Amino acid sequence: MAREVICQLGKMITSRIPYKLGLKKLNEDDPEYYILDLLCSDELANIMLKMELRKPKTLEEIAAITGTEPAHLEEVLKDAAMKGVVEYNWDNPEHVKKYYVQIFVPGIAEMTNMNLEQVEKYPKLAKEFNRLTFLPLAGMTEMIPPGGGGAGMHVIPVEKAIPAESQSVSIEHLSHWLKKYEGQIGVGYCSCRNAARLAGQGCGELQDELCISVGTFNRYVVETGRGHAISYDEAMRILQRAEDNGYVHQITNIDGENKIFAICNCEPGVCFALRTSQLFNTPNMSASAYRAHVETKNCVACGKCVEVCPAGAAKLGQKLCTKDGPIQYPKQELPDDNHWGEEKWNKNYMNDNESNCHESGTAPCKSACPAHIAIQGYIKMAGEGRYLDALKLIKKDNPFPAVCGSICNRRCEDECTRGSVDRALAIDEIKKFLAERELNEKDRYIPPKVRHKTPDVDYVEKIAVIGAGPAGLSCAYYLAEMGYANVTVFDRNKVPGGMLALGIPSFRLEKNVLNAEIDVLKKMGVKFKCGVEVGKDVTIAELRKQGYMGFYIAIGAQKSASLKVPGEDLKGVWGGVDFLREVNLGNKVDVGKNVAVVGGGNVAMDVVRTVVRLGAEHAYIVYRRSEAELPADPEEVAEAIAEGVKFCYLNAPVEITGTADGKVNGLKVELMELGDPDEKGRRKPVSTGKFKTLKVNTVIGAIGQTIDWGGLDVGALKTDKKGRAEADAVTYQTAESDIFVGGDVVTGPKFAIDAIAAGREGATSLHRFVHQGQSLTLARNPRDFYELDKKNAVVPVDCFDAPARQEVRHDPKKAMTFKNDRITFTEEMVKKEASRCLGCGACIVDQNRCIGCGLCTTRCEFDAIHLFRDYPECSKMYSTEEMVKAVLPYAAKRAAKIAVKDLKQKTGK
């Protein structure tokens, strides 16, 4: 049966109007009741009722009105303050200590949750805190005027984003509040993040010290163990860390313009205060006086503002006009003159706000790249001579630009809009130019760590990466960038790099290039244990005992597929990747004078060009389809032909012949013709019954790769019929919960850039996994980008005045050697090539969704996005007691607008 005194106390404190007016009565199912019932004795509840709401009183005053002996009363109130149901301050002319009963939010709900021992013991406190930020506002937020009208929290912009000419007022500056309360500043952990953690709904943003308390409220926080004192400079460092991580600054909004008691640094995915505007689609509840606007001519669609926007207001679109005119981007409907109900809410806002791109599309280069690098952005920087800035921008999405500058399959260039005008940009050559500028050790860019918590210390959690190929290295890089000091990469080979080091010949990717980028990881603190085969030299079970909490398996597809023809056991028969591994390790490989390479992909081209360099006089590519179906990169094919390789099309191997002493002496092939297309649209080879034999000393099969799991003790991890690991498509988590996978071991053989993109996602998942209470999926960036309709785009007329595409040159002195003979572009060539970019994409901001936090401006390197003080009325602050004075005029105006709109719709006028 409900306790009557608790019901009365809850009625006094609650913000829910029906309960406040006595139209409804609290019961055991209400969050107000649960918190007070759990933490308040009847004696305390009766004392709190007589204290009234938000009316500070001295101990003596409370003793007088309650008839309680002062010494005993002081003990009761001290215990209540520790629990968080009573607060105290010295905010009075006499500066004497006064106790008061605060509202639930922001107030009692936060304080009861900021007693960590208490909320761990009673996790339902976190759930009820969540409900108390929702229930009082449901159906009410549409009537809240700009600025919040004395409700909840209020966004304060990043200070450096406020333009000098905006005629801002002091309360819009965090420095104003910190200077006002200098000497009375403290910090504690975030109650919202903690509540999300306890509910298993964290977003990877950890609860550690981020909520700044100010004024005499800070003294209460420190004395009750909810935080500790910090200096002004320490507070500024916390605010900077918050901006680096993309957290929104908010101040308390219930005491009018002359007082706040906290500055919160809020993570959009879990902040209950931000939710008030995002869930209900009513930005008045949160928004500052500012809105972001894009100067489109400067924007390069890098997408960094989009990634940090907490409200989903910024999304990528296109800069080019269409044949039907400029694209009209959608605007969020607002409640100002619309009927508003639950159908207008966005219950999936945490995920929806992470979306990157309008469905109409953006720059094709960014969309086509698996890592979604800011290609348009770094090309712009390169053209301006901002080479280091361009490299930093690339490394936000790809830690290995020099590697990719040498071997990428250039899907960005395949989709470049310029290619529909004349020829695509030489994107890869620009990236190669930028990346090679840091090959010298003294010039290397080591990215700073951006940690998710305060104080500024590394994470201690140990993570094992198994496989030092592009996926594993990428995962380790991003974990190190997040501040993980105990990331160890294990690889069974003697050197790190996986297929980058052992599966690609040095005339395409020189080892100094790869080693330079691996050296960056070492400088970031990543440890390498090469020559260690996990599953044989050490098991995953043993690593768990050593304290490793998460595993990323990225062992690739490192085993050559069998030709499945007689004679494969003869001496002189190799698998393609096995052959390349031997050569790259520096071992002597005798291939003889005549070599047949079976296959038509890029590995086959690498193999056949390698055997030419090893001295083969006659090198053949044996491919069972025609030249039209050859899957290898045309540039590599052309280079192979130039080096004397002969292509035997429509030849299918049927037997490898040998001598009496077991050595290869020939490859028997059947001549084929093309029949009907297969499921991929390629015409199937059909037998003709005719045969011939190529006289060769060596046969190398390069028809694909398979996965070799070796002795890995992967427990419940499952694989498909091709040996690929089965894992969640978003998180890469396997059936063995602490094991995540990525790269070729999941997808089968693909390209380095695909593996790099997968490694980044693996790092995100592992970070969330090793911290209790973090969801692997909630509020996660989906990296969703769509290509604009190039056929409907109108290119600027002056683009035809740009120079012709700069051509790749080759150093004849390095031809037919194991040195890379591609000559890197000069600065002049880079600037000419950069001038050819059409600048397809741009950021589009919906001001109806924007909350004016200014975080977008901190990410823009192109002076393309700025805040404007469009809504100065949002900086009018009211106290909770004045809320009616703020809400009623606005609600009346809104009702009148809706009525007029309804009438016009009804009459058709």
Side-chain angles (χ1 to χ4, degrees):
M1 184 175 177
R3 295 162 60 195
E4 182 59 31
V5 67
I6 296 300
C7 292
Q8 292 178 23
L9 182 59
K11 175 185 175 182
M12 181 184 85
I13 301 173
T14 188
S15 300
R16 289 200 275 172
I17 302 301
Y19 295 89
K20 199 80 172 174
L21 299 177
L23 303 175
K24 286 187 175 182
K25 187 173 182 179
L26 293 172
N27 59 51
E28 293 96 325
D29 295 328
D30 291 306
E32 297 96 331
Y33 185 92
Y34 174 81
I35 293 174
L36 297 174
D37 179 55
L38 177 69
L39 301 176
C40 295
S41 65
D42 284 358
E43 179 187 28
L44 175 58
N46 280 306
I47 291 171
M48 291 170 66
L49 279 167
K50 292 181 179 178
M51 290 171 65
E52 303 178 278
L53 184 64
R54 285 173 51 85
K55 293 184 178 180
K57 296 177 175 61
T58 63
L59 181 70
E60 293 73 20
E61 290 171 333
I62 299 170
I65 60 176
T66 61
T68 309
E69 193 272 322
H72 172 68
L73 176 63
E74 187 170 20
E75 288 300 314
V76 171
L77 293 178
K78 180 180 179 181
D79 179 66
M82 292 298 293
K83 290 176 178 176
V85 291
V86 169
E87 298 177 22
Y88 53 79
N89 64 32
W90 291 260
D91 294 336
N92 53 80
E94 299 79 21
H95 301 294
V96 298
K97 184 176 183 179
K98 291 189 176 184
Y99 299 86
Y100 59 97
V101 177
Q102 183 59 282
I103 60 176
F104 277 113
V105 178
I108 287 176
E110 281 94 336
M111 293 305 102
T112 55
N113 274 264
M114 285 190 72
N115 181 326
L116 191 56
E117 182 180 352
Q118 178 172 273
V119 75
E120 292 278 6
K121 185 177 180 180
Y122 303 108
K124 193 180 177 185
L125 281 172
K127 178 182 178 181
E128 303 304 353
F129 169 33
N130 186 341
R131 292 178 69 202
L132 278 169
T133 61
F134 171 81
L135 293 175
L137 295 169
M140 297 289 295
T141 56
E142 58 268 29
M143 292 186 283
I144 301 294
M153 307 284 288
H154 183 68
V155 170
I156 293 290
V158 172
E159 189 147 342
K160 57 180 172 285
I162 299 175
E165 69 275 11
S166 68
Q167 298 182 339
S168 63
V169 295
S170 59
I171 62 173
E172 296 170 354
H173 294 258
L174 287 173
S175 60
H176 161 77
W177 296 108
L178 289 178
K179 288 173 183 175
K180 177 182 177 74
Y181 294 113
E182 190 165 5
Q184 296 179 299
I185 306 173
V187 67
Y189 76 80
C190 172
S191 53
C192 291
R193 288 176 176 86
N194 191 44
R197 173 184 68 85
L198 290 169
Q201 295 180 337
C203 297
E205 316 296 346
L206 308 182
Q207 71 188 49
D208 301 73
E209 300 174 341
L210 282 163
C211 288
I212 297 172
S213 54
V214 296
T216 60
F217 174 73
N218 171 60
R219 184 171 171 183
Y220 159 78
V221 167
V222 173
E223 289 182 359
T224 57
R226 290 172 168 82
H228 60 87
I230 58 173
S231 67
Y232 176 93
D233 289 340
E234 287 173 311
M236 292 301 291
R237 284 195 291 272
I238 290 170
L239 293 175
Q240 184 60 58
R241 180 169 298 109
E243 292 169 16
D244 291 343
N245 276 285
Y247 304 149
V248 180
H249 305 314
Q250 293 195 98
I251 58 174
T252 52
N253 193 34
I254 63 173
D255 291 303
E257 296 189 353
N258 295 317
K259 178 185 175 184
I260 63 170
F261 58 84
I263 302 170
C264 291
N265 295 295
C266 302
E267 200 286 312
V270 298
C271 176
F272 298 151
L274 283 176
R275 179 179 65 181
T276 57
S277 63
Q278 302 306 297
L279 169 63
F280 302 119
N281 273 329
T282 51
N284 283 353
M285 280 294 300
S286 300
S288 77
Y290 296 83
R291 297 296 182 271
H293 295 260
V294 176
E295 193 167 345
T296 306
K297 67 181 179 65
N298 292 345
C299 182
V300 296
C302 69
K304 298 309 163 189
C305 60
V306 173
E307 291 176 13
V308 79
C309 178
K315 296 189 188 303
L316 290 186
Q318 72 179 67
K319 188 184 297 185
L320 300 179
C321 191
T322 75
K323 294 174 183 176
D324 306 313
I327 290 181
Q328 299 300 311
Y329 289 99
K331 290 282 187 181
Q332 170 63 47
E333 194 176 27
L334 293 175
D336 295 351
D337 58 354
N338 289 293
H339 294 283
W340 214 254
E342 192 168 346
E343 74 282 356
K344 302 288 189 180
W345 300 356
N346 182 6
K347 295 180 181 179
N348 194 44
Y349 76 93
M350 284 183 282
N351 294 323
D352 288 349
N353 284 1
E354 295 293 323
S355 176
N356 294 279
C357 189
H358 285 286
E359 291 183 0
S360 56
T362 189
C365 54
K366 185 175 180 69
S367 304
C369 174
H372 303 298
I373 301 169
I375 294 169
Q376 189 179 323
Y378 78 70
I379 287 174
K380 175 74 170 177
M381 287 175 163
E384 295 174 346
R386 298 169 58 190
Y387 303 134
L388 179 58
D389 287 340
L391 186 67
K392 290 178 180 179
L393 184 59
I394 295 171
K395 284 199 166 189
K396 291 181 185 298
D397 302 298
N398 177 4
F400 306 107
V403 167
C404 290
S406 297
I407 64 166
C408 192
N409 65 325
R410 303 185 295 276
R411 276 170 269 184
C412 53
E413 293 187 23
D414 290 342
E415 299 303 327
C416 176
T417 307
R418 182 94 205 189
S420 62
V421 176
D422 42 40
R423 295 178 65 194
L425 262 72
I427 295 169
D428 224 34
E429 296 305 319
I430 295 174
K431 179 163 73 240
K432 186 173 187 287
F433 167 85
L434 294 167
E436 288 188 0
R437 297 180 72 83
E438 70 158 359
L439 292 184
N440 294 326
E441 187 172 358
K442 62 182 179 64
D443 297 327
R444 281 179 200 149
Y445 168 64
I446 311 299
K449 295 180 179 180
V450 181
R451 299 175 180 86
H452 291 257
K453 68 175 187 176
T454 307
D456 190 10
V457 294
D458 285 326
Y459 294 119
V460 299
E461 292 79 8
K462 296 174 72 174
I463 297 174
V465 176
I466 302 169
L473 293 175
S474 177
C475 180
Y477 174 94
Y478 285 110
L479 286 168
E481 190 180 44
M482 280 189 266
Y484 283 87
N486 293 300
V487 179
T488 304
V489 181
F490 296 85
D491 198 282
R492 69 182 183 181
N493 295 301
K494 296 178 182 178
V495 294
M499 292 293 285
L500 298 177
L502 302 176
I504 298 174
S506 57
F507 57 81
R508 288 189 60 219
L509 175 60
E510 295 200 59
K511 299 305 172 269
N512 68 312
V513 172
L514 173 61
N515 292 335
E517 296 196 318
I518 291 176
D519 184 61
V520 170
L521 272 73
K522 293 177 180 178
K523 285 181 166 58
M524 293 171 72
V526 176
K527 304 175 184 67
F528 288 85
K529 290 190 176 182
C530 293
V532 176
E533 184 173 350
V534 178
K536 179 181 177 182
D537 301 312
V538 64
T539 66
I540 290 177
E542 289 169 341
L543 291 174
R544 287 187 180 113
K545 291 179 182 178
Q546 293 175 23
Y548 286 92
M549 297 176 64
F551 301 85
Y552 188 67
I553 296 180
I555 58 175
Q558 70 284 43
K559 185 178 180 181
S560 296
S562 171
L563 291 173
K564 296 181 180 178
V565 298
E568 276 197 281
D569 57 345
L570 292 170
K571 187 181 295 184
V573 178
W574 290 86
V577 293
D578 305 317
F579 169 78
L580 290 171
R581 183 182 296 110
E582 285 296 303
V583 174
N584 280 313
L585 285 171
N587 298 326
K588 185 177 180 181
V589 181
D590 184 7
V591 295
K593 298 297 183 184
N594 304 298
V595 180
V597 177
V598 181
N602 288 333
V603 173
M605 298 307 119
D606 287 345
V607 169
V608 77
R609 295 180 67 199
T610 298
V611 301
V612 169
R613 284 158 175 77
L614 290 176
E617 294 177 1
H618 299 95
Y620 304 96
I621 283 288
V622 177
Y623 182 58
R624 67 191 187 120
R625 287 186 166 91
S626 71
E627 182 178 3
E629 283 82 26
L630 195 71
D633 185 289
E635 186 177 327
E636 277 213 72
V637 174
E639 290 174 348
I641 292 172
E643 291 170 1
V645 174
K646 296 179 176 62
F647 283 72
C648 302
Y649 295 111
L650 293 169
N651 281 209
V654 294
E655 183 183 2
I656 303 171
T657 62
T659 62
D661 58 354
K663 295 179 181 177
V664 171
N665 68 2
L667 175 65
K668 184 178 180 181
V669 299
E670 182 175 11
L671 306 183
M672 312 297 285
E673 61 185 17
L674 293 180
D676 297 329
D678 62 14
E679 65 278 0
K680 295 182 180 178
R682 296 187 302 174
R683 295 173 66 191
K684 293 182 179 180
V686 178
S687 171
T688 66
K690 298 176 183 179
F691 300 88
K692 70 176 182 180
T693 299
L694 299 173
K695 299 297 183 182
V696 294
N697 312 109
T698 301
V699 175
I700 304 175
I703 60 169
Q705 294 124 257
T706 61
I707 298 160
D708 179 9
W709 286 93
L712 270 172
D713 51 322
V714 291
L717 186 150
K718 298 176 182 178
T719 58
D720 64 15
K721 62 183 180 180
K722 293 185 177 181
R724 298 174 299 193
E726 294 184 354
D728 183 87
V730 173
T731 68
Y732 293 99
Q733 186 178 38
T734 69
E736 193 76 9
S737 64
D738 62 348
I739 295 179
F740 298 78
V741 289
D744 290 357
V745 77
V746 179
T747 62
K750 293 190 82 170
F751 296 92
I753 192 66
D754 297 280
I756 289 167
R760 176 178 182 162
E761 295 305 315
T764 298
S765 292
L766 280 158
H767 166 67
R768 292 182 177 216
F769 176 79
V770 299
H771 293 284
Q772 185 183 23
Q774 306 303 309
S775 163
L776 294 183
T777 57
L778 195 63
R780 182 174 180 139
N781 187 341
R783 309 285 287 169
D784 53 344
F785 298 93
Y786 315 106
E787 180 182 303
L788 60 83
D789 183 357
K790 290 182 289 202
K791 293 180 180 178
N792 196 37
V794 177
V795 299
V797 174
D798 60 2
C799 79
F800 297 98
D801 298 330
R805 174 172 166 134
Q806 304 299 293
E807 299 296 342
V808 177
R809 297 169 297 157
H810 296 269
D811 185 349
K813 296 178 182 178
K814 296 179 180 178
M816 302 290 286
T817 72
F818 279 96
K819 295 286 187 181
N820 190 330
D821 67 356
R822 280 171 64 193
I823 299 174
T824 305
F825 276 11
T826 64
E827 289 191 57
E828 181 183 3
M829 293 172 73
V830 165
K831 289 180 179 179
K832 285 182 178 178
E833 192 61 28
S835 72
R836 301 179 64 240
C837 180
L838 298 177
C840 302
C843 175
I844 311 297
V845 173
D846 180 354
Q847 280 79 34
N848 286 2
R849 293 196 65 84
C850 178
I851 58 174
C853 65
L855 285 169
C856 54
T857 69
T858 69
R859 299 303 195 267
C860 184
E861 298 278 351
F862 302 92
D863 195 35
I865 191 165
H866 304 93
L867 292 188
F868 289 86
R869 197 166 182 258
D870 295 340
Y871 299 94
E873 64 271 26
C874 285
S875 289
K876 176 65 177 175
M877 296 176 68
Y878 294 85
S879 69
T880 291
E881 289 75 15
E882 298 175 305
M883 185 182 293
V884 173
K885 183 169 68 175
V887 170
L888 285 182
Y890 174 79
K893 288 180 183 178
R894 173 176 175 267
K897 288 180 182 179
I898 293 173
V900 171
K901 188 175 180 180
D902 287 347
L903 182 61
K904 286 181 178 180
Q905 290 176 344
K906 185 176 180 179
T907 60
K909 295 181 181 180

